[in-house]
Amino acid sequence: MIMTKEQAILKAKIQFNQMEASVRKAAAEGQTIDQVERDLWERLLSIGRMMLQGYVKLQGSGDVGATLKYEGRSLNRLDNLHERRYVSVFGELKISRTVYGTRETQKHEVIPLDARLGLPDSEFSYLLAEWDQSFCVQGSYEQSRRTVERILGIGQSVLSLEDMNQSMSRNVQAFRDSRPMPVAQDEGSILVLTADGKGVPMRRDPEKDAPAIHVRRKKGQKANKKRQACVGAVYTIEPFVRTAKDVVNEVMRDRRRKDRPPPQNKKMRAELTRIIDDAEVNGKDLIFSWFAKEIKARDGNNGKAVVCVMDGDRALWKMLKHHVSGDVVCILDLFHVMERLWNAAHCFYLEGGEEAKAFVSDRLERIL
């Protein structure tokens, strides 16, 4: 029995020795470094899978006896071991577990090994899910699936990645609520709020949505279906005194002052307008109600100046007025103003010319 438990680890040791021999052989034969690198990566994935399988084997099957007391009832150990698929970053494992319940055909009520190992509800490991979704938030599910398969050699379906995303999203609010508030002495004296809206293209439902438009669109027609999202950030910072000329010099020359104070305890959230409890909830409402909670928690004594920096979207400023009470210093984002100045400059001067740059610098300093 001990030999069986150790077998996977012993195989991993053999593979490690083979990997060492392969490196020495590659050096003697003058193989290129990229060939060696690819070979090492494949071998390391195989060794990792063997070691992980060995770890699972060393845990046993979770057999704690013929019966198990659970919530005032006595559950029986079922006759057969039940196998579970587990997909790790190293590859797929099969985990055999002892199950407790009333009988085979009924619900498996207690599986001690699952609890001992901390297995997720799905077949995919927490680490693999984390890596998967890190790619998914940057690109499409199909692109992410291909990238992970190319790196790890693990085939996953688009549907599994979508289900994984939805499953992880259900834990977001609990995670947010568990985060501690910043310590007062680590905070700056100014509390800054900032938000921006964005239309997110949504996949069409062939059964509910109108067909996509493939000809020139009429006035008011959209290229695709979008849903509004809102991104918000809250942080504190110390004052940074500058003249208008200082600001222009820094902005126009892309030179950041070394003595600029850094933001403290910055938090960011993004909320999509969506259906919650059979009612559509605006993402902006969620972000600005969060702003109100952050102000109350981080400026309970009203000792901080509260500043809100946003672009000219009137819907955002209306949300601020609706959700946030008290004195708030409202600032129009300078970079959105600069876009208008550059447009005006290019009406008179060539793009990229010094005249256009001087025009923007002069008007920007006047505004400030």
Side-chain angles (χ1 to χ4, degrees):
M1 185 66 178
I2 298 298
M3 192 61 190
T4 303
K5 290 182 176 181
E6 294 282 353
Q7 197 169 18
I9 294 178
L10 292 173
K11 285 183 179 179
K13 288 182 178 179
I14 293 171
Q15 287 194 9
F16 183 83
N17 292 334
Q18 291 172 345
M19 182 173 67
E20 181 184 356
S22 175
V23 170
R24 295 184 184 279
K25 181 181 177 183
E29 294 177 351
Q31 294 183 20
T32 60
I33 193 168
D34 66 293
Q35 292 176 305
V36 178
E37 186 177 1
R38 290 178 186 276
D39 179 63
L40 283 175
W41 180 245
E42 292 176 2
R43 290 175 183 272
L44 285 169
L45 287 175
S46 179
I47 291 172
R49 186 173 63 82
M50 288 289 183
M51 293 295 286
L52 196 59
Q53 186 72 69
Y55 160 77
V56 172
K57 289 288 186 183
L58 290 172
Q59 298 297 314
S61 68
D63 189 342
V64 295
T67 60
L68 175 68
K69 293 290 184 182
Y70 178 70
E71 294 183 347
R73 296 180 301 134
S74 181
L75 302 177
N76 298 319
R77 179 182 60 204
L78 303 185
D79 293 334
N80 301 319
L81 290 177
H82 290 257
E83 195 171 75
R84 171 177 175 168
R85 179 173 180 253
Y86 179 77
V87 185
S88 74
V89 295
F90 301 113
E92 182 178 324
L93 307 181
K94 298 294 185 182
I95 303 177
S96 298
R97 306 114 72 227
T98 298
V99 172
Y100 289 84
T102 52
R103 52 182 180 271
E104 287 284 355
T105 56
Q106 297 294 323
K107 177 184 176 183
H108 298 164
E109 298 196 49
V110 178
I111 308 175
L113 185 59
D114 285 13
R116 185 185 304 170
L117 296 177
L119 294 179
D121 293 334
S122 74
E123 296 178 336
F124 302 99
S125 77
Y126 290 123
L127 181 58
L128 178 60
E130 180 183 329
W131 290 0
D132 278 338
Q133 296 307 311
S134 294
F135 286 111
C136 289
V137 297
Q138 300 294 332
S140 69
Y141 289 109
E142 175 60 25
Q143 182 182 10
S144 302
R145 183 195 69 77
R146 291 179 182 178
T147 301
V148 173
E149 185 174 17
R150 187 168 64 251
I151 296 172
L152 299 178
I154 297 172
Q156 301 171 93
S157 68
V158 167
L159 180 60
S160 68
L161 295 178
E162 291 176 340
D163 290 343
M164 187 186 297
N165 184 282
Q166 292 182 13
S167 176
M168 293 174 72
S169 70
R170 288 192 283 270
N171 298 317
V172 169
Q173 192 57 51
F175 171 77
R176 288 173 172 173
D177 293 342
S178 70
R179 307 302 294 165
M181 278 294 167
V183 181
Q185 55 262 35
D186 295 335
E187 292 273 60
S189 58
I190 301 173
L191 182 63
V192 182
L193 317 173
T194 182
D196 197 7
K198 179 69 177 177
V200 180
M202 307 301 292
R203 188 171 62 184
R204 290 180 175 273
D205 187 335
E207 297 181 359
K208 298 180 181 179
D209 299 326
I213 300 170
H214 298 292
V215 295
R216 183 175 178 83
R217 297 186 298 277
K218 298 178 182 178
K219 185 176 181 180
Q221 286 185 315
K222 303 295 182 181
N224 47 41
K225 179 182 177 183
K226 289 187 177 183
R227 190 175 294 173
Q228 282 295 314
C230 186
V231 180
V234 182
Y235 60 90
T236 59
I237 198 168
E238 292 298 341
F240 186 43
V241 180
R242 293 172 294 172
T243 65
K245 188 176 290 292
D246 290 334
V247 175
V248 172
N249 286 336
E250 188 172 345
V251 170
M252 297 298 293
R253 291 162 181 77
D254 292 328
R255 265 185 271 168
R256 186 173 182 268
R257 287 264 298 266
K258 293 182 180 180
D259 56 343
R260 174 191 288 273
Q264 301 294 328
N265 304 302
K266 187 173 184 178
K267 296 182 181 180
M268 296 185 68
R269 287 190 183 183
E271 295 285 359
L272 184 68
T273 297
R274 60 192 188 276
I275 303 299
I276 300 178
D277 296 331
D278 298 325
E280 184 175 88
V281 178
N282 192 306
K284 295 184 181 73
D285 275 311
L286 296 172
I287 289 297
F288 282 86
S289 61
W290 170 58
F291 282 170
K293 292 176 182 177
E294 285 290 305
I295 293 172
K296 184 177 180 180
R298 297 173 70 167
D299 188 33
N301 297 324
N302 299 316
K304 292 181 174 62
V306 180
V307 173
C308 184
V309 183
M310 297 189 292
D311 64 20
D313 185 349
R314 293 184 179 181
L316 293 175
W317 295 104
K318 288 180 180 178
M319 281 288 175
L320 177 70
K321 184 177 181 180
H322 177 71
H323 287 280
V324 179
S325 59
D327 294 331
V328 179
V329 179
C330 299
I331 299 177
L332 186 64
D333 184 6
L334 184 65
F335 288 96
H336 285 82
V337 175
M338 286 178 62
E339 290 178 12
R340 305 292 181 110
L341 291 177
W342 281 112
N343 289 337
H346 296 152
C347 292
F348 304 101
Y349 306 105
L350 292 176
E351 292 189 28
E354 288 299 317
E355 295 90 346
K357 187 175 181 179
F359 178 94
V360 172
S361 296
D362 176 64
R363 269 62 178 185
L364 184 60
E365 187 172 348
R366 292 190 202 179
I367 291 172
L368 294 171

